[in-house]
Amino acid sequence: MTSPKEIYDTKRNNFVNKIKLYFEFLTSEFGFNKPNHKFSQQPNCTIINDTFEFINAGKNLKILILNSYHPIDYGFEINLIDLITETEEMIYNVLKENQDVDQNYLEKIAQDLRNSIEERLNSKL
């Protein structure tokens, strides 16, 4: 039988690994820097969220990809931030209740983002 901690650890590891895999195109195709990975943890060392920050300084755009695991948080989201106006737009979200342990939803969201990001970047010329 799998313990809640094992499920949590697997879910988190899958999230971190799949972000690195599926969202690498932001760096290789669209000129974003390599992601800065941060996480927050409680005093008992339980990690409550992971955040990946991609920046394209030439386009003045930041993409934040995060997943929150804490019971009162919502889950996964992608936010676009205009670095000049500091406006933020949430473009994707998946409630943690709707996430699978394998984090399989990430592949589809990455494909959707890849298809839409070029248009967004071209509009910032």
Side-chain angles (χ1 to χ4, degrees), residues 52-107:
F52 287 85
E53 177 183 84
F54 295 83
I55 296 176
N56 183 323
K59 297 292 185 174
N60 296 306
L61 186 65
K62 181 187 329 184
I63 297 177
L64 291 180
I65 303 174
L66 61 104
N67 204 8
S68 297
Y69 313 105
H70 191 271
I72 61 169
D73 289 328
Y74 294 110
F76 171 83
E77 60 188 61
I78 297 179
N79 296 295
L80 297 181
I81 300 167
D82 184 305
L83 296 174
I84 295 174
T85 64
E86 297 183 359
T87 55
E88 187 169 340
E89 175 188 3
M90 183 187 299
I91 59 171
Y92 297 100
N93 72 307
V94 178
L95 294 174
K96 70 176 169 265
E97 296 83 14
N98 296 333
Q99 296 178 19
D100 58 302
V101 172
D102 291 331
Q103 301 288 280
N104 289 322
Y105 65 94
L106 290 172
E107 184 174 16

Side-chain angles (χ1 to χ4, degrees), residues 11-89:
K11 182 178 183 178
R12 180 173 181 263
N13 288 334
N14 286 336
F15 177 77
V16 169
N17 292 331
K18 288 185 178 185
I19 291 298
K20 291 174 183 176
L21 174 67
Y22 294 139
F23 291 86
E24 188 278 332
F25 71 89
L26 290 169
T27 301
S28 64
E29 295 177 31
F30 295 106
F32 285 83
N33 66 328
K34 296 229 180 255
N36 180 21
H37 177 212
K38 302 177 195 174
F39 58 88
S40 298
Q41 62 186 25
Q42 296 177 322
N44 67 1
C45 296
T46 299
I47 294 176
I48 57 174
N49 72 37
D50 283 292
T51 302
F52 287 85
E53 177 183 84
F54 295 83
I55 296 176
N56 183 323
K59 297 292 185 174
N60 296 306
L61 186 65
K62 181 187 329 184
I63 297 177
L64 291 180
I65 303 174
L66 61 104
N67 204 8
S68 297
Y69 313 105
H70 191 271
I72 61 169
D73 289 328
Y74 294 110
F76 171 83
E77 60 188 61
I78 297 179
N79 296 295
L80 297 181
I81 300 167
D82 184 305
L83 296 174
I84 295 174
T85 64
E86 297 183 359
T87 55
E88 187 169 340
E89 175 188 3

